[in-house]
């Protein structure tokens, strides 16, 4: 007997050990550098660390919280915002990790607070990724008929 999926179906973000370790290392290193370098620092050092802190907040805000499938839409909750995809316009296709291999970060984080941001690869073109663990099942949300692009999430 085939199992039926009860909607809404919610998948919480479970961060991989790699993501947790890298996030902790980056946070500790940045706080240590700020504590050591900022007292008595010049304006240029303040501006550099202000930019680093700003980027840390951006990628922390893009970190996934959960992905939910309803009967009429897909909902991706990030720390800072919610993305909604209408099922009449978008479809979700399972993909493997191999399809993401070799992707180049355009504006993305590959491990700090997850795998988030904009990537490019020969196979998938330019796409957005909001995944917490690349070993977990992945979905590509895209328009029907599109071979490239879309949004990659854990699902």
């Amino acid at each position: 007997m085939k199992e039926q999926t009860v909607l809404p179906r919610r998948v919480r973000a479970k961060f991989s050990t790699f993501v947790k370790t890298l996030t902790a290392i980056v946070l500790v290193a940045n706080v240590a550098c700020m504590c050591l370098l900022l007292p008595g620092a010049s304006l240029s050092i303040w501006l550099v660390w202000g930019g680093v802190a700003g980027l840390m907040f951006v990628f922390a805000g893009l970190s996934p919280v959960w992905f939910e499938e309803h009967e009429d839409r897909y909902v991706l909750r990030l720390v800072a915002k919610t993305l909604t995809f209408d099922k009449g316009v978008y479809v979700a296709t399972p993909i493997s990790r191999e399809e993401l291999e070799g992707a180049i970060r355009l504006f993305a984080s590959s491990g700090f607070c997850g795998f988030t941001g904009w990537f490019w690869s020969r196979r998938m073109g330019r796409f957005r990724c909001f995944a917490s663990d690349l070993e977990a099942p992945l979905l590509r949300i895209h328009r029907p008929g599109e071979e490239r692009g879309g949004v990659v999430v854990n699902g």
Side-chain angles (χ1 to χ4, degrees), residues 10-73:
R10 180 179 284 191
V11 178
R12 295 202 53 82
K14 294 179 182 152
F15 294 95
S16 67
T17 305
F18 172 75
V19 169
K20 291 177 189 175
T21 305
L22 186 64
T23 301
I25 289 170
V26 168
L27 288 175
V28 168
N30 281 322
V31 169
C33 287
M34 286 179 186
C35 291
L36 294 173
L37 295 177
L38 288 183
S42 66
L43 178 61
S44 61
I45 291 178
W46 277 95
L47 291 175
V48 167
W49 284 110
V52 169
L55 284 174
M56 286 174 36
F57 281 113
V58 166
F59 287 115
L62 292 176
S63 181
V65 177
W66 48 257
F67 172 76
E68 195 168 57
E69 179 181 2
H70 294 267
E71 293 197 21
D72 60 339
R73 68 190 183 281

